[in-house]
């Protein structure tokens, strides 16, 4: 009896929500013809692999059955978003081989920050394709593809090019900032980091505004995830002092910095909404979605979030996923676990396909968004709540 009324209440609530939702946004979906994405390894679908060294095995094993330029055993959140919108998986702008850009392009590269930094990929793994460069690449992409499209003599030579009129109807997505925080955590005190965050967020807002000036109208902006919950960070805290870690083993001070970034990002999005009233901005609380998954790992069918599927990390020996190293004179190969679908973390930094799928499922319907509108309707201007 109790179960039945609880269930009925659930149905009522979702009915009310769906009616409210339709009222608020009108019922027609946006039918985005393309996605343009900007970001770091959380959404890199082959940029770094094309520019530098290709990602090696066992990455890609679950879904692509071979390395596919992604830091995961399979698909990323952006892949599941594309699938949800019935669009093909995004090709990297930097990938010149066999690519179609008809339905968008991906400018994200692993290691990228919002802020340009004076370090080298070969020394620190820092991507030279910081957000400002990704935006320059987008400008070049747009003008050159539009020009080629206009002058194409044959229908077939237009096939892999975006339709110029689609740029204003496309969905523009962002997932960047984690590396700005990660790098700063190593070189600054939390107080210093707090002081530079507004400037970092301003640069993201400037990038968004630039795209707007060039005709973009729908923006879907992920905040940054719980960096203190990445197992690779936690390995630095073998025997932590009390109060360093939260109940899920996440480093509290690091997550606090991510939250600070997110607070500033949310205010920036609200400000953009006021400044650019004919654009639609969705702020997506990816932090909350990831943290919910990490905090409910068992209930959601995963092993404890501190475990990683691929990589060998013990005491002071670290062998990263897919690498070999000699430990105590014997060779250790860091291969993947038996069943990646049980793990949240793929390699200590990146999420598994199963976790990305879970996160994507929970964000596409708008339940972690402001305004709380499904991604299929994100082109309709909503009010901040
Ligand atoms: C960047 O690196 C170069 C070469 O190491 C150095 O000459 C230059 O001063 C650096 N610039 C900044 C802004 O740190
Ligand atoms: C290497 O040796 C150390 C110290 O004897 C030991 O704790 C560790 O488990 C060994 N690692 C491997 C992979 O054998
Ligand atoms: C959104 O989707 C998730 C995952 O399927 C579900 O648990 C949640 O209840 C949905 N929320 C809304 C508001 O529809």
């Amino acid at each position: 009896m109790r179960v039945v009324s609880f269930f009925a209440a659930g149905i009522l609530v979702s009915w009310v929500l769906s009616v409210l939702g339709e009222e608020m946004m009108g019922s027609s979906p946006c039918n985005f013809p393309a996605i343009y994405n900007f970001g770091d390894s959380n959404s890199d679908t082959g940029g770094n692999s094309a520019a530098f060294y290709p990602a090696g095995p066992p990455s890609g094993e679950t879904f692509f059955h071979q390395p596919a330029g992604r830091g995961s055993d399979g698909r990323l959140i952006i892949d599941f978003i594309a699938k949800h919108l019935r669009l093909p998986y995004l090709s990297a702008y930097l990938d010149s081989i066999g690519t179609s850009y008809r339905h968008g392009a991906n400018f994200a590269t692993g290691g990228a920050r919002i802020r340009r930094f004076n370090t080298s990929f070969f020394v620190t793994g820092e991507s030279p394709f910081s957000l400002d460069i990704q935006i320059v690449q987008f400008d070049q992409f747009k003008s050159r593809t539009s020009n080629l499209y206009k002058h194409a003599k044959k229908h077939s030579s237009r096939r892999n090019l975006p339709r110029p009129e689609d740029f204003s109807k496309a969905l523009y997505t962002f997932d960047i900032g984690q590396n700005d925080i990660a790098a700063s955590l190593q070189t600054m005190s939390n107080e210093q980091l707090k002081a530079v965050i507004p400037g970092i967020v301003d640069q993201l807002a400037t990038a968004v505004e630039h795209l707007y000036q060039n005709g973009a109208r729908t923006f879907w902006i992920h905040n940054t995830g719980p960096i203190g919950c990445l197992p690779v960070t936690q390995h630095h805290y073998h025997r932590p002092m009390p109060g360093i870690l939260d109940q899920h083993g996440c480093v509290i001070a690091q997550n606090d910095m991510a939250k600070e970034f997110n607070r500033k990002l949310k205010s920036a999005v609200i400000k953009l909404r006021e400044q650019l009233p004919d654009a639609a901005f969705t702020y997506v609380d990816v932090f909350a979605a990831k943290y919910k998954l990490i905090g409910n790992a068992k209930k959601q069918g995963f092993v404890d979030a501190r475990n990683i599927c691929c990589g060998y990390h013990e005491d002071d020996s670290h062998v990263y996923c897919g690498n070999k190293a000699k430990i105590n004179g014997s060779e250790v190969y860091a291969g993947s676990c038996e069943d990646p679908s049980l793990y949240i973390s793929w390699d200590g930094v990146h999420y598994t396909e199963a976790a990305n799928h879970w996160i994507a499922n929970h964000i596409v319907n708008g339940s972690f968004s402001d305004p709380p509108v499904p991604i299929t309707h994100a082109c309709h201007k909503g009010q901040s709540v």
Side-chain angles (χ1 to χ4, degrees):
M1 178 61 203
R2 204 142 183 211
V3 172
V4 169
S5 57
F6 183 68
F7 183 63
I11 290 175
L12 182 65
V13 166
S14 45
W15 178 78
V16 169
L17 277 178
S18 73
V19 169
L20 277 177
E22 304 234 326
E23 284 277 288
M24 197 173 106
M25 61 205 171
S27 43
S28 63
C30 305
N31 293 322
F32 298 113
I35 301 172
Y36 292 100
N37 180 65
F38 304 85
D40 56 27
S41 60
N42 287 308
S43 62
D44 180 352
T45 56
N48 261 14
S49 274
F52 302 112
Y53 298 104
S59 73
E61 64 175 15
T62 297
F63 182 75
F64 301 100
H65 307 298
Q66 59 181 354
R70 289 157 173 82
S72 181
D73 58 313
R75 288 165 289 180
L76 309 181
I77 296 171
I78 189 69
D79 291 314
F80 289 110
I81 285 178
K83 182 165 183 257
H84 184 75
L85 296 174
R86 305 209 172 111
L87 292 170
Y89 300 128
L90 286 186
S91 290
Y93 165 74
L94 294 167
D95 194 351
S96 54
I97 300 165
T99 23
S100 168
Y101 296 115
R102 170 51 61 111
H103 298 288
N106 191 356
F107 297 86
T109 58
R113 299 186 203 179
I114 295 171
R115 279 215 298 191
R116 196 187 292 189
F117 234 76
N118 197 17
T119 50
S120 155
F121 173 81
F122 298 100
V123 178
T124 59
E126 181 72 35
S127 165
F129 310 111
S130 48
L131 183 58
D132 56 336
I133 298 296
Q134 293 183 22
I135 295 293
V136 169
Q137 291 176 334
F138 171 81
D139 287 347
Q140 180 169 188
F141 175 88
K142 188 179 176 204
S143 66
R144 290 180 62 197
T145 56
S146 299
N147 202 34
L148 278 171
Y149 192 94
K150 205 166 67 194
H151 294 109
K153 296 266 181 323
K154 286 188 301 222
H155 185 70
S156 63
S157 49
R158 288 181 169 173
R159 206 175 43 212
N160 292 333
L161 298 172
R163 279 179 283 253
E165 68 270 24
D166 284 351
F167 282 101
S168 60
K169 301 179 203 147
L171 178 67
Y172 291 78
T173 56
F174 290 81
D175 192 323
I176 192 161
Q178 182 172 304
N179 292 315
D180 295 79
I181 295 170
S184 304
L185 283 170
Q186 288 170 13
T187 57
M188 292 179 193
S189 70
N190 278 11
E191 283 314 304
Q192 288 170 318
L193 176 51
K194 250 184 162 161
V196 297
I197 283 173
I200 296 173
V201 170
D202 272 355
Q203 289 191 26
L204 177 51
T206 302
V208 168
E209 252 185 280
H210 177 89
L211 293 174
Y212 174 88
Q213 303 302 348
N214 284 283
R217 286 297 178 269
T218 304
F219 299 92
W220 176 267
I221 301 170
H222 290 181
N223 72 6
T224 196
I227 189 171
C229 300
L230 298 180
V232 75
T233 331
Q234 296 167 354
H235 280 289
H236 297 297
Y237 296 86
H238 283 312
R239 286 167 213 86
M241 307 273 287
I244 298 282
L245 305 181
D246 69 11
Q247 76 269 33
H248 306 306
C250 305
V251 184
I252 295 167
Q254 298 195 353
N255 279 352
D256 283 349
M257 287 302 108
K259 287 183 195 162
E260 174 70 14
F261 175 89
N262 291 341
R263 265 192 296 275
K264 292 286 186 296
L265 178 62
K266 190 168 184 185
S267 321
V269 170
I270 290 168
K271 218 165 104 195
L272 283 164
R273 230 177 244 149
E274 286 162 5
Q275 282 166 359
L276 312 170
D278 59 336
F281 296 93
T282 308
Y283 169 86
V284 187
D285 196 352
V286 166
F287 185 110
K290 287 180 172 173
Y291 196 76
K292 184 173 184 183
L293 172 60
I294 289 163
N296 294 282
K298 290 238 169 70
K299 224 164 82 194
Q300 301 298 330
F302 293 89
V303 298
D304 187 287
R306 280 164 275 205
N307 296 304
I308 70 178
C309 172
C310 184
Y312 174 91
H313 301 273
E314 221 163 77
D315 298 319
D316 288 328
S317 312
H318 296 282
V319 189
Y320 285 90
C321 182
N323 290 309
K324 283 185 205 138
K326 276 217 158 95
I327 296 178
N328 295 349
S330 52
E331 190 159 87
V332 174
Y333 169 68
S336 70
C337 58
E338 188 107 330
D339 187 355
S341 74
L342 297 178
Y343 288 77
I344 291 172
S345 185
W346 165 241
D347 58 3
V349 178
H350 306 102
Y351 290 74
T352 57
E353 149 134 349
N356 286 327
H357 198 175
W358 189 99
I359 298 157
N361 271 346
H362 282 77
I363 62 175
V364 291
N365 66 10
S367 56
F368 285 94
S369 298
D370 171 35
V373 169
I375 194 167
T376 48
H377 291 71
C379 61
H380 300 283
K381 290 164 277 291
Q383 289 305 309
S384 165
V385 290

